[in-house]
Amino acid sequence: MQAPGIVPRASPEQFELAFWNSIKDSIHASDYEAYLKAYPKGRFAALAQARMARLRTPPAQGTPAAQGTAAQGSPPPVRQKTAPVKPAAPAPRVAASTARHGGEIRDCQSCPALVALPAGTFTMGNNASDPSERPAHQVTIDTPFAIGKFEITVQQWNACATANGCQKVAQAPNTSPSAPMRDVSWDDAQQYVKWLGLISGQPYRLPTEAEWEFAARGGTASPYWWGQQMASGKANCKECGQPWSSDRPANAGSFPPNPYGVHDTSGSVWEWVADCWHNNFKDAPPDGRAWDEPNCRVRVIRGGSWREGAAYMVTSTRFRYDTGVRQSQNGFRVARSLK
């Protein structure tokens, strides 16, 4: 039998339980704030309020906590309206490689590395996993596209923030510039791709859910991109082998890429995609476009995170969050069409 996906049943109660289980040991107040925003009257609301209050209470001066860990539980920055972004002076252009299968593209010095992928047909979803991943269905992506070789890193996000294209988002002390950027909402990710488009002159966006799974599978049809069974050393999760830390994800690219040359699609951080959340794939578009809805406020995240176990590393794993929620396990990678 294949490992289960995110939840045993695609019900609101199980989604809430999965959310709570992913943060219940967190030392970040923003995680409990995110839970309360999604489930203000949830079954764990009182406990979340208590933990958030405790994490936000400054420890007594002179204690070890006052000297070290207090910053980890500090509240997220106050969100402010962002001024209209003025196009920055174009960065020196770096010649892009040809858009062949596996060819690497970098559109500007501040731009993330992309992997060029061909058009193709694949089976999306998984009939033997969670109900939200069913039915498995054929999708044909008609045109080549490029997707981030890695998740967006702290350094890349900070370049956008420094240019006033993105909001500054506090990170834990001693966070590596090469760490995947996290604690960003879907709305935040939209700011980043808009800024990236301005400085590069290219149509950057979030990948569609179909594009994401096509890239994550790396041309395979197995539950994991590396095969039928879980294997150590392939992904950044708590049951996946070293390097692993309960406090934070490993730096981008610390684990090997899949056959398409894309890193960290399993584990590391959950990744926002363009699509509106639907409870399953019934009536999903067969052509790989984003499955959207008017005024959609709940979007799809894919791939699991370093805090989850092996069952979440299945390539078809999917979950959902409100577009405005910042959660410390959530990040993203970018994509763009290839002309």
Side-chain angles (χ1 to χ4, degrees):
M1 295 181 61
Q2 295 182 12
I6 293 298
V7 291
R9 297 185 303 277
S11 65
E13 294 80 8
Q14 288 298 333
F15 280 121
E16 181 188 356
L17 182 60
F19 192 151
W20 178 256
N21 285 339
S22 74
I23 67 165
K24 65 181 181 181
D25 298 319
S26 175
I27 60 172
H28 301 282
S30 59
D31 287 348
Y32 300 105
E33 183 179 53
Y35 168 81
L36 289 167
K37 184 173 181 179
Y39 301 101
K41 297 182 179 180
R43 70 178 79 175
F44 306 105
L47 182 56
Q49 290 278 12
R51 290 188 180 177
M52 188 167 63
R54 185 172 71 248
L55 288 168
R56 289 180 172 172
T57 301
Q61 292 296 320
T63 64
Q67 300 169 4
T69 59
Q72 296 180 358
S74 59
V78 176
R79 299 194 65 176
Q80 299 177 345
K81 293 181 71 174
T82 304
V85 178
K86 295 181 179 180
R93 298 297 296 272
V94 178
S97 65
T98 57
R100 60 182 175 81
H101 176 195
E104 186 172 310
I105 298 169
R106 192 183 293 272
D107 292 314
C108 67
Q109 287 186 341
S110 298
C111 294
L114 306 177
V115 175
L117 297 180
T121 298
F122 76 109
T123 299
M124 182 177 181
N126 187 342
N127 287 332
S129 191
D130 186 77
S132 70
E133 302 165 27
R134 305 174 191 170
H137 58 290
Q138 183 171 289
V139 174
T140 297
I141 296 175
D142 292 328
T143 58
F145 69 100
I147 194 167
K149 184 175 183 178
F150 309 103
E151 295 154 334
I152 294 302
T153 66
V154 169
Q155 182 178 35
Q156 289 164 342
W157 180 270
N158 287 343
C160 178
T162 300
N164 295 319
C166 302
Q167 298 188 48
K168 291 181 171 63
V169 178
Q171 296 293 302
N174 302 317
T175 297
S176 168
S178 299
M181 184 63 192
R182 55 195 179 98
D183 208 15
V184 286
S185 68
W186 190 89
D187 293 335
D188 293 330
Q190 295 302 311
Q191 291 182 353
Y192 181 84
V193 294
K194 180 180 179 181
W195 172 78
L196 202 56
L198 287 172
I199 67 167
S200 68
Q202 298 293 341
Y204 276 92
R205 54 181 172 78
L206 291 179
T208 71
E209 188 173 11
E211 288 173 337
W212 188 96
E213 188 167 326
F214 179 79
R217 288 188 175 279
T220 70
S222 50
Y224 309 92
W225 65 255
W226 54 84
Q228 293 292 330
Q229 303 296 329
M230 185 61 198
S232 180
K234 300 294 187 181
N236 185 201
C237 84
K238 67 181 179 181
E239 298 169 353
C240 295
Q242 297 301 317
W244 183 79
S245 167
S246 60
D247 294 333
R248 63 190 69 191
N251 286 348
S254 295
F255 290 79
N258 71 12
Y260 280 174
V262 183
H263 291 257
D264 303 322
T265 54
S266 293
S268 188
V269 292
W270 288 96
E271 299 179 22
W272 290 107
V273 295
D275 297 46
C276 190
W277 171 261
H278 296 82
N279 288 332
N280 54 54
F281 287 134
K282 183 180 179 181
D283 301 322
D287 56 1
R289 70 181 187 275
W291 193 6
D292 213 346
E293 301 286 348
N295 304 313
C296 177
R297 294 301 302 170
V298 181
R299 299 282 174 174
V300 179
I301 54 175
R302 296 295 304 254
S305 84
W306 86 100
R307 287 183 181 169
E308 273 84 49
Y312 288 66
M313 300 302 105
V314 176
T315 307
S316 53
T317 290
R318 59 196 299 265
F319 200 54
R320 64 183 186 181
Y321 270 90
D322 185 275
T323 58
V325 168
R326 287 177 174 169
Q327 212 267 3
S328 66
Q329 293 167 255
N330 296 352
F332 66 104
R333 75 179 71 223
V334 298
R336 74 169 177 86
S337 301
L338 295 175
K339 297 178 182 179

